[in-house]
Amino acid sequence: MPQDPPAPSGLLRPARRHVLGLGATLSGFFVLRGASATGAGQHPEAPAALTVRTGDTVTLARTTRLRRLTVEPDGVLAAPEGKDLTLTVDGIETGTVLTADDRLRIAPGTYRGDVAVTVTERHTVRHHGLTFPFRQALYVDAAGPDPARSVSAARRGGRTGRSAAEGLTVVSTGGVFNGVHVDGGSYLLRGPRVDLTGDGRCDFVGYGAALTASGPGTRLVVDEARITCHGVVRAALVATGGATVVVRNSLLRTRDGTLPAGYRPTVDPRHMRAAPWLLGITGNARTTNLSGRGTTVAYLASTLISEGWGVLSSESGSAGSRLTAVNCQVTAAHSGYGSYACDGVTQHLLGCDLDVADYVAVIRDGSVHYGDSTREAVRRLAADWRLGLAETDLAALTPRRTTIRSRRFGVLWHGRARLRVDGGTVLDTVGPVLLGKGQPARITVDGSRGARLRSAGGVLMQLMDDDDPGPRGAAEPQEIADRVHRDPPGPPVRAEGFDTTAPHRTDVTAEFTDADLTGDLLNGTRGGTRRLPGLNLHLTLVRTRLAGRVTATTARHRIAAVDASHLRELGVVTNTASPVVNNGVVLTLGPGSRWTPTGTCHLSALRLDRTARLAAPPGTRLEVTVDGRPAVPAPGGAWTGAVAVRVRPAGPRSEPTADGSRPAPHPRRPPGAP
């Protein structure tokens, strides 16, 4: 980021721009005023105070210590070309503000105490055509800590060595200051304390983050850290560019700040500083972020908390990247998600406790797995990902199941998704456990060890068209403040040539094995457009009991127009069971499965294994028709077409089967029978 430009050629302002070549320690008292300041650096008693007058630009040639610094309004304290300034008072970084045009300035005011103005070599990071001048308390590359790029005055206590730092404390109350940045080599941070208050600028690359690691040759291990950040995009940890980061036994916590005046909500990665409301969430500080190809991050026995936006995030361009959390507590307190997986990112959350406000996870072309933290699973993961865990680490591991609580939704996918739930994972939500918005997914739930999905609202899966009204590509304007979603008028129109019984690349495939499920699985996809002709749900149950509806529906939002002021209406729809149009439902009852419909269901295909059973709720009977004709769904059979299953009150008569005969009444189950 450029500093003040030099005065135009031929324009002499000798009384307004000054270069101070001051020593490391200043003594005496000196107030800069006009041209007389230029000789101050050679005074035998250098000043212990410095005043930058209104309209003056004072350039410090090297690091300077003072007892008092005063910067008057419109006074500029600057560094030489290619360098940056950092102000600390009593070991605390402070005073730095980011101007509207992304320049760094020391805010007007008087600073007293152990005042240090540190001059460091510029450390730039590029992002989508922008260049950010990183400043950090400790900069580490393949050769170890680099004093020329480190603000040692912002480090308090502890010891810093070539390959490790212990007991390091960094406190910042200014803006866009980083705690530790590692770019190359291996480094261990043991027991760091980082407390940042003030705004960051870009958490895609970690501009203003507590800890950052970048580059394919970088390995950072963090143990027993306590990190708290309070400010806009002031992330606790950001890993980029193929780095490997392992965080153990640590606390990472972020709180939202106040967005700068004039900020316009956007999804432009150059300028985004808040959660896109298009997801139905709020907040402006993610706890962690991951980006770049081949980046690997592991959180072990740690606590990660965000006030809003999200906790474990990832960005586009992260193909082949991986994230795991083992025996961690993950909390999105007021709004946001537990994790976000996009662009080929793989996430494994094992033995974790998640408590989230809005979404357990959001997937956009990524993969998420919830399971138990067995020693075998963690050992395999550590070996495959080269996490460097010792056998003593694995021996100290306490195997746990994953428990998840969401006050709204479970897993949302608005891009291609793979989701696996196994072990003893328990996933409790208020809204739909699985929420798909017009995108394909492969979902596997293995309940053989007790995995359960439960929705207080009674919906296990909701499929619908994407209600994100944001831009569909980079060519469209990226600002989103005025975007509005409206449901299309009228009934859906059948897409020509779309087969509602066949598999398509756009479909959702879900398999539940050894599970006990209560709730509805609803395909409310409208389709019928060039972008989405249709989307089928292929549902397979193996040794699974399901009590609930499995049906195509007509899904409508509760309000006519969903804008930023009604963002919590996104993903919330009412469902009316309706015949299939472009939303096929192919249900396979595999070996040992039983389905008890609790209301009218419309399918495009129904298949029953010889050992599967279709059962009516107590006191009712089932009426099944295929293309309007009565049918008996006997074990071993298969039906395609307009399959309708209706629950009728039990009575002395039953409907005729397809051959005109009347089946025997449904046998009454003896007390205690399954």
Side-chain angles (χ1 to χ4, degrees):
M1 207 166 299
Q3 301 294 314
D4 267 6
S9 175
L11 177 62
L12 300 180
R13 299 178 59 191
R16 310 300 284 172
R17 175 176 291 276
H18 314 282
V19 177
L20 298 188
L22 303 179
T25 302
L26 301 182
S27 61
F29 181 85
F30 184 82
V31 178
L32 173 66
R33 185 183 296 277
S36 63
T38 56
Q42 289 73 43
H43 196 280
E45 290 190 359
L50 176 65
T51 296
V52 182
R53 298 295 188 190
T54 297
D56 280 352
T57 294
V58 177
T59 300
L60 294 182
R62 57 181 179 264
T63 296
T64 303
R65 300 195 85 94
L66 303 159
R67 288 199 297 268
R68 188 182 75 192
L69 170 67
T70 298
V71 180
E72 295 183 350
D74 296 324
V76 177
L77 190 61
E81 186 68 27
K83 299 180 184 294
D84 286 304
L85 289 183
T86 300
L87 171 64
T88 58
V89 178
D90 298 330
I92 298 174
E93 189 278 335
T94 191
T96 302
V97 295
L98 198 63
T99 65
D101 59 351
D102 278 353
R103 293 171 182 262
L104 297 175
R105 290 288 182 264
I106 302 299
T110 296
Y111 306 90
R112 294 183 176 88
D114 180 10
V115 178
V117 184
T118 301
V119 179
T120 51
E121 296 290 338
R122 180 159 296 171
H123 163 213
T124 58
V125 174
R126 298 185 180 277
H127 174 66
H128 286 271
L130 302 178
T131 301
F132 297 129
F134 276 44
R135 301 167 303 124
Q136 51 277 315
L138 178 63
Y139 177 90
V140 179
D141 59 21
D146 183 355
R149 293 185 175 185
S150 301
V151 182
S152 60
R155 305 197 304 262
R156 298 191 296 174
R159 297 177 297 172
T160 301
R162 188 176 185 279
S163 60
E166 184 171 5
L168 189 71
T169 295
V170 178
V171 180
S172 167
T173 61
V176 291
F177 185 71
N178 288 51
V180 179
H181 183 93
V182 181
D183 187 4
S186 297
Y187 207 75
L188 167 65
L189 290 173
R190 180 177 286 117
R193 304 293 186 266
V194 184
D195 187 351
L196 309 183
T197 302
D199 294 342
R201 169 59 179 86
C202 177
D203 65 356
F204 289 79
V205 292
Y207 187 24
L211 304 178
T212 49
S214 62
T218 298
R219 177 180 174 81
L220 172 62
V221 177
V222 182
D223 195 11
E224 296 185 345
R226 295 294 179 268
I227 298 172
T228 57
C229 299
H230 183 190
V232 176
V233 291
R234 206 74 189 262
L237 186 146
V238 176
T240 68
T244 296
V245 180
V246 178
V247 178
R248 305 185 299 204
N249 310 309
S250 297
L251 168 66
L252 287 72
R253 182 169 193 161
T254 54
R255 294 169 56 201
D256 292 338
T258 301
L259 288 165
Y263 175 77
R264 296 278 296 173
T266 181
V267 292
D268 185 338
R270 298 173 301 170
H271 305 296
M272 188 168 74
R273 303 192 206 182
W277 72 264
L278 312 171
L279 284 176
I281 60 176
T282 61
N284 55 51
R286 291 180 277 194
T287 307
T288 72
N289 205 3
L290 173 157
S291 66
R293 285 182 176 272
T295 304
T296 299
V297 183
Y299 299 96
L300 310 175
S302 295
T303 298
L304 303 103
I305 305 170
S306 74
E307 182 178 13
W309 198 339
V311 183
L312 303 170
S313 195
S314 61
E315 294 300 339
S316 58
S318 301
S321 292
R322 306 169 296 191
L323 181 149
T324 187
V326 179
N327 287 11
C328 289
Q329 181 173 336
V330 177
T331 302
H334 293 165
S335 183
Y337 50 75
S339 70
Y340 192 104
C342 69
D343 268 22
V345 172
T346 298
Q347 297 182 350
H348 293 275
L349 284 83
L350 308 178
C352 291
D353 182 86
L354 289 88
D355 188 350
V356 300
D358 293 305
Y359 301 100
V360 176
V362 180
I363 306 176
R364 190 183 186 100
D365 302 326
S367 172
V368 176
H369 167 219
Y370 300 106
D372 297 346
S373 59
T374 64
R375 288 189 178 90
E376 294 75 14
V378 178
R379 179 180 287 107
R380 184 168 55 251
L381 194 67
D384 291 347
W385 292 12
R386 299 180 180 178
L387 299 180
L389 299 186
E391 280 300 317
T392 53
D393 296 322
L394 295 170
L397 178 72
T398 300
R400 297 178 181 171
R401 69 177 185 177
T402 293
T403 58
I404 304 171
R405 297 169 302 282
S406 172
R407 298 189 289 282
R408 297 191 72 207
F409 305 105
V411 177
L412 161 70
W413 64 95
H414 60 150
R416 292 181 179 273
R418 295 183 70 90
L419 173 66
R420 180 182 169 196
V421 180
D422 59 24
T425 300
V426 177
L427 203 168
D428 284 310
T429 66
V430 173
V433 178
L434 307 169
L435 177 61
K437 295 189 175 183
Q439 294 289 339
R442 170 68 179 174
I443 299 166
T444 304
V445 178
D446 180 356
S448 60
R449 290 187 170 183
R452 289 175 288 172
L453 309 183
R454 301 185 299 209
S455 168
V459 179
L460 296 175
M461 180 185 292
Q462 173 72 66
L463 304 182
M464 56 183 285
D465 285 7
D466 195 352
D467 56 359
D468 179 344
R472 296 300 179 190
E476 292 189 30
Q478 301 297 291
E479 287 193 1
I480 57 175
D482 301 323
R483 297 275 180 162
V484 180
H485 171 80
R486 291 182 174 85
D487 288 336
V493 177
R494 188 176 301 277
E496 184 177 352
F498 183 79
D499 188 341
T500 58
T501 64
H504 304 273
R505 291 186 301 121
T506 58
D507 290 349
V508 171
T509 301
E511 181 175 301
F512 295 84
T513 304
D514 297 307
D516 197 345
L517 305 171
T518 300
D520 299 336
L521 295 98
L522 311 173
N523 187 357
T525 305
R526 180 183 178 92
T529 66
R530 187 174 182 179
R531 183 168 172 267
L532 182 65
L535 184 153
N536 295 335
L537 168 61
H538 299 267
L539 176 63
T540 300
L541 308 181
V542 178
R543 297 184 301 277
T544 292
R545 298 184 180 190
L546 169 63
R549 295 182 299 161
V550 179
T551 183
T553 70
T554 299
R556 306 288 294 181
H557 285 81
R558 299 185 299 187
I559 61 176
V562 182
D563 58 13
S565 66
H566 299 92
L567 58 88
R568 290 177 66 85
E569 293 296 323
L570 291 169
V572 180
V573 293
T574 60
N575 289 275
T576 303
S578 307
V580 169
V581 181
N582 304 309
N583 51 344
V585 178
V586 178
L587 174 58
T588 299
L589 300 183
S593 292
R594 185 179 74 177
W595 175 36
T596 305
T598 56
T600 298
C601 300
H602 293 277
L603 314 172
S604 50
L606 174 63
R607 305 184 182 106
L608 273 68
D609 181 81
R610 292 180 181 179
T611 61
R613 180 183 176 192
L614 182 60
T620 68
R621 60 184 176 86
L622 297 181
E623 176 186 284
V624 180
T625 60
V626 179
D627 296 330
R629 301 181 60 194
V632 175
W639 301 264
T640 59
V643 180
V645 181
R646 296 177 174 85
V647 180
R648 303 295 195 192
R653 298 186 61 198
S654 56
E655 296 296 326
T657 61
D659 62 5
S661 64
R662 295 186 182 277
H666 187 77
R668 188 180 301 274
R669 290 183 295 173

